[in-house]
Amino acid sequence: MESPFKSMAMSSDQDTRILACTHDRLSGLPDQVIYHIFSFLGANDTARLGLVSKRFKKLCSSSPYLNFVADFDSGSDHSCLRTRYADFCSYVDKVLRSREKTGEGLVRLLVHWFCKQRRFDIGGSVVTSWVTVATKCGVEELDMLVHVDSLRGYSLPDCVYKCESLRALKLNLQMGRFSFQILGFDWLKDLWLDSVTIGDKNFGQRISDRCKCLKRLTLENVDGISDLTMTSSSLEDLEISDCRFPNSFFDGKFNISCSSLKVLTISRCQFKALWHVNLDCQSLKNMTVQDSEFGRFFVCKIDCESLETLEVCGSNFLEACQLLVDCPSLIHAMISSCRFANVCFLNIKSSSLGGLTLSECKFSSPEIGSQYSKPKKEIKVGAGPCRRIIMKAENLETLTVSSSDAYSYEFPLSISAPKLKDLRWTGDPVDFSYLNQGMVSLLNARIHIKPTCRHRSEESDRRCKHSKSLIYCAAKFLQCLSEARFLSINTWPIEIFFMQNDSPIVFKKLQNLVLLTNGSFADQIPTIASFLRGLPNLRRLIIRCEQISHELSDPNASLTESTLNPFLFSPRRNTHFSCVGQDLKNVKIEAVQGQAQSCVQNAGKRR
């Protein structure tokens, strides 16, 4: 007869196992699901997980995702480092040899060997032996980081090039020199080179010729590329970041002619030499250049039939630059937060171009005393200034500009966009004196420009406003808007214009006007009235005020007769239009801040 105590113990053990299984959901999962979870674990986590139980120990040794990281740079005790080195190598050897004997497959092998001490800096040879075992196990992804002496360099073993199962390779040599063998990666689809020095002038062409199936190429923190020419027919994604393209005896060239390339990203790169960028990628859809620096004269020719989006952000052009874009499918182009030191010529040919954004771009500040100075004598109108932005876009319909350059007059902006319909402009004024042809197709314009220069006294502010450069800038800018039918504009450029002009600019087609005042409305009534005299076909007027005087804040006050009439409906000296347009039916004055609002219906009064 079975002892009751033994029966109770067996029952207790069974209940404990049931309870453990109830709370330990991970142990109850199938092996393949646990292997998938292992793929997201960090370095050496699988080794620690093997200490939990016998089943986990077996799963860790047979996992298709192996991550090993060795850091021999921390600590100064050589005997301790020697012990760690021996234990680490023994453990990795044991795991990989066991995998080789069982013939189990290997999806990913990650080996990061941090060691700059010569005594233990033999990672290259040790890691090579582990990589050799991994290729025999049919590894699909290799992630290798080793410290390589700059004098020795590093070459991958031949078995890596011949491995038919290998699909992805990431190599980090801590700025060590890397060279390809004669063999090629016939089956590789993803190549990532990080912190590598390349001394091969034909580096790009070798990749194109030897990586027949390559889909994605990432170059990060790569140094020594004097020329980059790629003609891969399989490459779809190219990302270049933190790379330095040094000076060379001959002109530097960057030629990408990949028929399948869809995405191109260049970020935080330095082009020190005279670089010519030629892009002929018929499948390219998105191109981004950000936070990069271009040293000498820079020319970029983009001939991509399928390109839809072009972005150039946060880059520094130390010399003249040309961006020649011939992409019939380009929908939107954006240049933002860039700094120019010379002429920037942007020519966009696209039948699909809907919008162009020029935002927060600046020029290198000239050494002048005042922010708005008269033009230099040696600069002629015909020749043009040595520093400016020139934009040509025959089919452009929408232009968005946000300027923040305090030296706007020294660096004019020239725009040739005969089909431009919508213009949005905020920030500092920019000189339009080199605008050869007006915006004849302009329909809508939303303008809010005002210089960012700040003055300590009213006298200095008055001198700035009377600057001839600003007055001419405002006059030319208003002339460019004269074809618009809808106009929303702040009163600053209008106020500047009438400081030395009595006759208003005529807007024959303007029907709807929104004026934004940022000062005392009562003080700006004469200026507003002078501007309205040039609007013969105006139908609706909205004035939005930041400050409305107490006389005008009364909702019962008749603004048309008491305030605007003396200016709008009476003759004025040296004025061609002595009255506002007779079609004006609605005048609305609003307070931007506060609840005060007054509306006046003007029944088309005559003088």
Side-chain angles (χ1 to χ4, degrees), residues 316-356:
N316 189 10
F317 297 85
L318 302 181
E319 295 292 341
C321 63
Q322 291 186 6
L323 300 177
L324 309 177
V325 183
D326 189 0
C327 305
S329 300
L330 185 64
I331 299 176
H332 185 262
M334 181 176 69
I335 301 178
S336 64
S337 303
C338 293
R339 181 177 292 274
F340 302 95
N342 210 308
V343 174
C344 172
F345 179 72
L346 175 62
N347 189 0
I348 300 178
K349 296 181 180 180
S350 173
S351 57
S352 305
L353 185 62
L356 172 63

Side-chain angles (χ1 to χ4, degrees), residues 102-172:
T102 58
E104 297 177 347
L106 186 60
V107 176
R108 182 183 65 209
L109 174 63
L110 182 147
V111 179
H112 288 183
W113 186 283
F114 294 94
C115 183
K116 296 181 181 179
Q117 301 186 34
R118 293 186 176 181
R119 178 175 300 185
F120 304 103
D121 187 14
I122 55 176
S125 58
V126 175
V127 173
T128 297
S129 63
W130 296 337
V131 170
T132 302
V133 176
T135 56
K136 296 179 180 179
C137 297
V139 65
E140 298 179 11
E141 301 176 16
L142 274 179
D143 189 341
M144 303 168 55
L145 185 151
V146 293
H147 179 263
V148 177
D149 189 277
S150 58
L151 299 177
R152 294 186 302 170
Y154 181 78
S155 297
L156 291 168
D158 294 345
C159 60
V160 176
Y161 295 96
K162 298 178 181 180
C163 184
E164 299 183 6
S165 62
L166 187 62
R167 296 294 180 267
L169 172 63
K170 182 176 181 180
L171 184 63
N172 187 326

Side-chain angles (χ1 to χ4, degrees), residues 35 61-63 98-106 136-138:
Y35 288 152
S61 61
S62 61
S63 172
S98 175
R99 178 64 57 87
E100 183 181 9
K101 291 179 180 180
T102 58
E104 297 177 347
L106 186 60
K136 296 179 180 179
C137 297

